[in-house]
Amino acid sequence: MNLDAVRAGLPVLEQVAYLNAGTFGPLPARTIETVERQNRSELEDGRTGASYWEEVSGLRARARQTIGRTIGAPSETIALTRSTTDGCNIAVSALRLEPGDEAVTTDAEHFGLLGALAASSLRVHVAEVNAMPAADAAAIVRSHITPKTRLVALSHVVWTTGHVIPVEQLADAGIPVLVDGAQSVGAGVLDVAALGCAFYTVSGQKWLLGPDGTGALYVNPEHLAGLDVAFPSYYSQQSYEDDGHFLPSEGAARFDYGSVPAPALGGLLESIAFAEEAGADRFERAQRMAERCRRLLAERVEVVTEPGQSTLVAFRPNGDATETVARLASQGVVVRELPRLGWVRASIGFWTSEDDVDRLVAGI
């Protein structure tokens, strides 16, 4: 991988050591150029006519194909959303739930997932994995499954600890598994079909380096027939009657969350292309840099993240977390505080240099 070329395409890196892709990834310059070009076209040529709708349809089709390729899934299993939160809400609402049905989640989840569970009729059981070894997480979750469990919902990569949960160990329980992929998609090689989950969410704005308001939801075709379309959009139907009854679109497209702006879709496609052009070895490089970051930080502070996990590195600073994040920002190092935990998190991408890591460690 040509690190200099990659960093030259991410202008924010000229200003700061940007270690916060777990919230928003650094935007490639060419992504913004694509968004601006599409916006200019819509301004000058309008958003109407057959050619415009053909263009939008083409972008949506390409987005399904590209996201599907990124996560190892066919395009027909991909619904387009605006965020992981959308995906979680769509998935939970699609289940045919009855009073007394239960779900199992963990104590390490983002509200984007928890909110969907809380708003449902499910009784939620929480498996305590946040303070446990990553390898034990799946077994702990399985211990909470009962005959009434209708959903297991959890992250692939925990947004706080950075630990990788072996979600593939849960698929054989015979219960739909909803996986929050916000911290995994774009951060490493992924094959959702091999995981056996029913749903897998995608955030476009994080490790995929895309614009805000982009995302997707993988829906396992084996589960499709048992799901309802609770929030139909125009894209959910092949045809409809005057009373609103409709024939659902083929595949996961029936769960599309309405219109995603064409400039945002075009920008996401450009961002994914930028990442792919960096080379297949980019994930291995990011992993090496994350391990280097973890090792160096461990010489100075308590590191929460175990060795050999994801490209997130969480640590407990010697002082106040809020003050630590602010001090680092004043030194040109961008990380984030993890609320309620008193931890700080660094996101290490394939674009991260040794100097970025050294600046973080020196700031600590």
Side-chain angles (χ1 to χ4, degrees):
M1 190 190 85
N2 186 333
L3 180 61
D4 289 339
V6 167
R7 290 179 65 86
L10 300 168
V12 71
L13 303 184
E14 299 175 6
Q15 311 297 323
V16 297
Y18 190 87
L19 305 174
N20 196 23
T23 301
F24 285 106
L27 282 164
R30 59 195 261 188
T31 295
I32 297 304
E33 292 168 1
T34 297
V35 171
E36 290 176 345
R37 184 165 57 249
Q38 181 69 36
N39 277 325
R40 175 61 59 179
S41 174
E42 293 188 353
L43 173 67
E44 297 178 352
D45 302 328
R47 296 177 290 179
T48 188
S51 61
Y52 176 75
W53 291 112
E54 288 174 4
E55 180 181 7
V56 171
S57 296
L59 282 171
R60 295 180 71 88
R62 286 175 55 205
R64 287 187 216 282
Q65 293 167 356
T66 302
I67 293 170
R69 182 180 70 245
T70 299
I71 66 174
S75 60
E76 61 268 21
T77 64
I78 304 299
L80 299 180
T81 69
R82 300 171 302 180
S83 65
T84 275
T85 300
D86 281 354
C88 291
N89 279 293
I90 292 168
V92 173
S93 66
L95 298 171
R96 295 170 181 171
L97 301 173
E98 297 179 357
D101 286 347
E102 299 177 353
V104 178
T105 189
T106 81
D107 62 342
E109 302 306 323
H110 193 280
F111 186 74
L113 173 65
L114 295 178
L117 298 179
S120 73
S121 60
L122 289 162
R123 180 184 178 189
V124 180
H125 294 273
V126 180
E128 297 182 357
V129 305
N130 205 39
M132 303 300 291
D136 295 343
I140 295 171
V141 171
R142 288 182 74 104
S143 70
H144 286 73
I145 294 175
T146 75
K148 294 183 179 180
T149 303
R150 296 294 177 266
L151 177 69
V152 174
L154 74 175
S155 297
H156 198 174
V157 172
V158 178
W159 72 291
T160 52
T161 63
H163 289 168
V164 180
I165 296 181
V167 295
E168 66 277 6
Q169 297 179 17
L170 299 168
D172 62 356
I175 298 164
V177 179
L178 164 60
V179 181
D180 180 338
Q183 301 299 341
S184 51
V185 178
V189 178
L190 188 59
D191 183 357
V192 295
L195 298 178
C197 58
F199 309 99
Y200 200 105
T201 70
V202 176
S203 290
Q205 82 280 10
K206 297 180 186 288
W207 300 94
L208 291 178
L209 313 183
D212 196 12
T214 55
L217 174 68
Y218 162 80
V219 182
N220 190 320
E222 295 181 3
H223 293 266
L224 198 63
L227 301 173
D228 291 330
V229 181
F231 299 103
S233 70
Y234 185 79
Y235 298 99
S236 299
Q237 51 80 32
Q238 299 183 60
S239 62
Y240 63 93
E241 305 297 332
D242 290 342
D243 64 359
H245 284 85
F246 63 94
L247 178 65
S249 296
E250 294 288 340
R254 67 188 63 185
F255 298 110
D256 278 11
Y257 201 92
S259 297
V260 179
L265 281 177
L268 177 61
L269 289 168
E270 197 67 50
S271 290
I272 295 175
F274 172 85
E276 290 178 339
E277 289 169 17
D281 62 338
R282 67 189 185 278
F283 297 133
E284 181 182 351
R285 184 188 184 281
Q287 195 66 52
R288 290 199 309 270
M289 293 300 297
E291 287 303 305
R292 182 176 185 273
C293 180
R294 189 196 63 78
R295 186 177 66 255
L296 292 176
L297 283 172
E299 297 174 359
R300 303 192 178 203
V301 294
E302 177 190 349
V303 176
V304 176
T305 307
E306 297 174 13
Q309 296 299 312
S310 70
T311 50
L312 295 175
V313 180
F315 59 94
R316 191 186 305 276
N318 294 324
D320 180 76
T322 302
E323 293 176 358
T324 299
V325 170
R327 185 180 72 253
L328 287 168
S330 71
Q331 299 171 3
V333 179
V334 180
V335 291
R336 74 154 294 175
E337 177 187 0
L338 296 174
R340 302 192 299 174
L341 295 171
W343 300 349
V344 175
R345 187 190 70 191
S347 304
I348 310 297
F350 62 85
W351 54 87
T352 303
S353 68
E354 291 189 0
D355 181 65
D356 290 337
V357 173
D358 291 343
R359 290 173 66 185
L360 167 64
V361 174
I364 295 300

